[in-house]
Amino acid sequence: MASSAPSTTTTTTTSPFIREISKCTIKSQRIPQEAKEPYYLTNWDLSVLSGNYIQTGLLFSKPSHQENPTTTMTSILDALKDSLSRTLVHFYPLTGRLATHKDATQNPPSYYIYIDCTNPTGAEFIHAVADITLDDVLTPVDVPEIVRAFFLYSGAVNHDGHDLPLLGVQITELKDGYFIGCSFNHCVGDGTSFWHFLNSWAEISRSRGTSDSISNPPILKKWFLEGHGPILNLPYSGPQDFIDRFTPPPFRERVFHFSSESMAKLKAKANQDCNTDKISSFQSLCGLVWKSVIRVRHVPVDQTTRCLITIGDRARLDPPISKYYLGNCVGTVMGTAEVGELLNNELGWAAKQCYQAISGYNNEIVRKKVEKWVKSPTIRQLGRIMNHTFLVIGLSRFDAYGNDFGWGKPLAIRRGIATKFDGRISAYPGREGGSSLDLVCCLSPETMGALELDEEFMSFVSPTV
């Protein structure tokens, strides 16, 4: 097993094109009374201890001097620091650290991990400068590797939150723009929680210090299965038993754009193939990507292929959990097929397998999964399940392009290297709105090159807006 020792890399500003200008700690403007109590973690939170921080950020153009003559990079940084301090009042768990309680004298032994906010250390905030332009980020076919240096804590796993901040922000100033890169400990929350935090920060930033309130405060009370929690013991003697620092082989990362018209055409094709109207746009896209990637990988036809799709558990529970719940609440479903069957059938057949996997996922299944975990806790280790027959596809439904911090809407979403590997696919709403999507594909160089030549896949890809 790989080393469980904490990563010593706290920033990624090692690129010759980037230099660090300043570093500081942003603390919550005030400490809520409830921060004095342990913030316990659920089964979903604990299961990602061996995973990476969420690394996602937004690219902006600098405000023009004509429109904003008093706006400088210094004033932007000051406003972002102040508004972040105000936002952390609402999201105070991000100011703490992970803590471990261990007592081998108890029967059974006690070993659990929680967030300690009694002496909040705050979030790390770095200002860096990159000698590049917006076009250097946006125009290359592949996402340039320098983007990885826009984020902190690359190489860290969430368990490292015992020593690292649970939130790290790097503002990278470009010649004609800037990038807000957030590294968000996954034990605190999932993608839905991350975007809720970013939306809230942007809202407070737009108020220019006139308001500390947010439209949708986070729900901090944790959800536990009836009869369990808030303490969930782990069946391990220490982190060496469950931490696996997975380093993926080299891969290419490219963003494929699908316009609203293209998504409508794809959905119509999938439903027509199956003589139904039940398959969604996203399920149609999953089917297209699954079939296309397996085809260009030249997987033997007698092997079994799996398409794992990450989906939210919040709305599937009964009663449902609010989308403003701070924490992880994500499940997975899996489409499975023999490679020959997948490739010999129409696109709609693959989409239907995804539809059936998703539509059959309900409250009863979610609760059974949680109950199974509580009885036999496991920490997810992606490195152990990756192979050439496997895909992981996820969809973020949050309006990322609505995150206006006060100086205009973002130009693009970009992610760091965390949780990326050959076969990791992520979808985001497109900048022009509607049902458009941007598909971020991480694939081996050989597979990506073949996918770019695949007629069926590329027939649905639209020009980048």
Side-chain angles (χ1 to χ4, degrees):
M1 181 177 291
S3 170
S4 64
S7 167
T8 57
T9 303
T10 59
T11 75
T12 57
T13 52
T14 56
S15 166
F17 299 99
I18 294 181
R19 62 186 185 278
E20 183 181 302
I21 303 299
S22 64
K23 179 191 296 187
C24 66
T25 298
I26 305 296
K27 294 193 174 184
S28 173
Q29 193 175 67
R30 58 182 175 81
I31 307 300
Q33 183 68 25
E34 54 266 35
K36 296 180 180 179
E37 299 296 324
Y39 192 74
Y40 294 108
L41 300 177
T42 70
N43 60 287
W44 290 295
D45 304 328
L46 295 168
S47 69
V48 297
L49 278 166
S50 188
N52 299 126
Y53 277 56
I54 295 174
Q55 291 184 323
T56 303
L58 300 170
L59 183 67
F60 298 84
S61 59
K62 283 182 178 177
S64 67
H65 183 71
Q66 290 78 11
E67 296 177 359
N68 300 276
T70 61
T71 300
T72 64
M73 200 63 213
T74 298
S75 66
I76 290 175
L77 289 166
D78 288 343
L80 289 174
K81 291 175 183 178
D82 177 70
S83 56
L84 178 58
S85 177
R86 297 170 186 269
T87 306
L88 289 173
V89 175
H90 303 280
F91 293 83
Y92 74 84
L94 285 168
T95 67
R97 289 285 195 278
L98 294 185
T100 293
H101 170 89
K102 199 171 181 181
D103 187 352
T105 64
Q106 294 187 14
N107 186 19
S110 176
Y111 178 30
Y112 62 88
I113 296 173
Y114 63 100
I115 297 177
D116 181 5
C117 301
T118 55
N119 185 27
T121 51
E124 187 172 9
F125 189 100
I126 285 180
H127 172 213
V129 171
D131 297 322
I132 59 174
T133 66
L134 292 169
D135 281 348
D136 291 328
V137 177
L138 294 173
T139 57
V141 172
D142 287 2
V143 175
E145 288 196 11
I146 194 173
V147 171
R148 300 175 184 179
F150 293 171
F151 296 92
L152 307 182
Y153 317 144
S154 293
V157 298
N158 296 306
H159 188 272
D160 294 338
H162 283 79
D163 302 301
L164 294 178
L166 301 182
L167 175 67
V169 176
Q170 180 173 309
I171 310 300
T172 305
E173 182 181 356
L174 314 184
K175 292 179 179 179
D176 53 354
Y178 60 98
F179 187 88
I180 300 178
C182 295
S183 298
F184 181 101
N185 191 290
H186 211 326
C187 288
V188 179
D190 53 18
T192 298
S193 288
F194 169 80
W195 285 112
H196 180 208
F197 159 74
L198 206 62
N199 293 163
S200 301
W201 182 13
E203 181 181 3
I204 289 181
S205 179
R206 288 194 302 272
S207 76
R208 292 293 187 270
T210 62
S211 174
D212 292 340
S213 64
I214 55 178
S215 301
N216 302 295
I219 295 173
L220 300 173
K221 183 179 180 181
K222 286 295 191 178
W223 185 94
F224 293 96
L225 194 66
E226 295 85 350
H228 299 281
I231 294 174
L232 297 177
N233 276 306
L234 298 174
Y236 304 106
S237 61
Q240 71 280 355
D241 294 337
F242 59 85
I243 298 299
D244 183 13
R245 297 181 187 275
F246 172 60
T247 301
F251 60 84
R252 285 178 57 191
E253 180 183 2
R254 179 174 173 179
V255 181
F256 294 98
H257 180 64
F258 292 79
S259 66
S260 295
E261 293 75 18
S262 180
M263 291 300 296
K265 183 174 73 170
L266 178 59
K267 179 181 177 180
K269 171 73 166 65
N271 280 282
Q272 184 180 22
D273 288 345
C274 298
N275 192 27
T276 184
D277 60 359
K278 295 182 178 180
I279 300 173
S280 71
S281 298
F282 176 64
Q283 292 157 6
S284 303
L285 183 62
C286 288
L288 174 68
V289 175
W290 185 19
K291 183 178 180 183
S292 301
V293 171
I294 295 303
R295 178 168 54 229
V296 300
R297 280 178 172 173
H298 301 294
V299 181
V301 296
D302 60 344
Q303 291 196 13
T304 298
T305 174
R306 297 169 293 161
C307 179
L308 188 148
I309 304 169
T310 60
I311 54 177
D313 283 347
R314 287 171 170 81
R316 288 174 172 83
L317 282 165
D318 184 15
I321 294 177
S322 169
K323 63 181 178 180
Y324 304 118
Y325 168 82
L326 180 64
N328 290 276
C329 194
V330 175
T332 57
V333 297
M334 192 177 300
T336 303
E338 293 296 318
V339 171
E341 190 175 25
L342 177 71
L343 299 183
N344 290 332
N345 278 288
E346 295 289 340
L347 180 156
W349 187 90
K352 187 177 181 181
Q353 309 313 303
C354 299
Y355 158 74
Q356 290 175 336
I358 292 172
S359 62
Y361 190 69
N362 55 30
N363 173 66
E364 183 180 359
I365 293 175
V366 173
R367 288 178 179 272
K368 283 183 177 179
K369 283 190 172 185
V370 174
E371 187 174 9
K372 180 181 178 181
W373 191 96
V374 171
K375 290 179 178 178
S376 181
T378 56
I379 307 301
R380 198 179 309 151
Q381 296 180 345
L382 276 177
R384 295 188 173 186
I385 61 173
M386 296 298 102
N387 60 57
H388 69 295
T389 69
F390 198 84
L391 282 182
V392 179
I393 303 178
L395 169 66
S396 172
R397 297 186 183 277
F398 265 85
D399 177 20
Y401 291 102
N403 284 289
D404 181 352
F405 284 79
W407 306 281
K409 294 186 176 182
L411 302 175
I413 307 165
R414 290 294 183 265
R415 300 174 63 208
I417 196 172
T419 322
K420 287 181 178 173
F421 47 83
D422 176 20
R424 183 68 169 97
I425 315 291
S426 303
Y428 295 95
R431 192 169 190 267
E432 72 267 35
S435 57
S436 65
L437 286 176
D438 289 329
L439 193 72
V440 184
C441 293
C442 299
L443 297 167
S444 71
E446 298 78 16
T447 301
M448 185 72 81
L451 184 66
E452 291 166 337
L453 299 175
D454 187 82
E455 290 186 10
E456 182 178 41
F457 178 79
M458 294 303 296
S459 70
F460 291 100
V461 175
S462 310
T464 302
V465 178

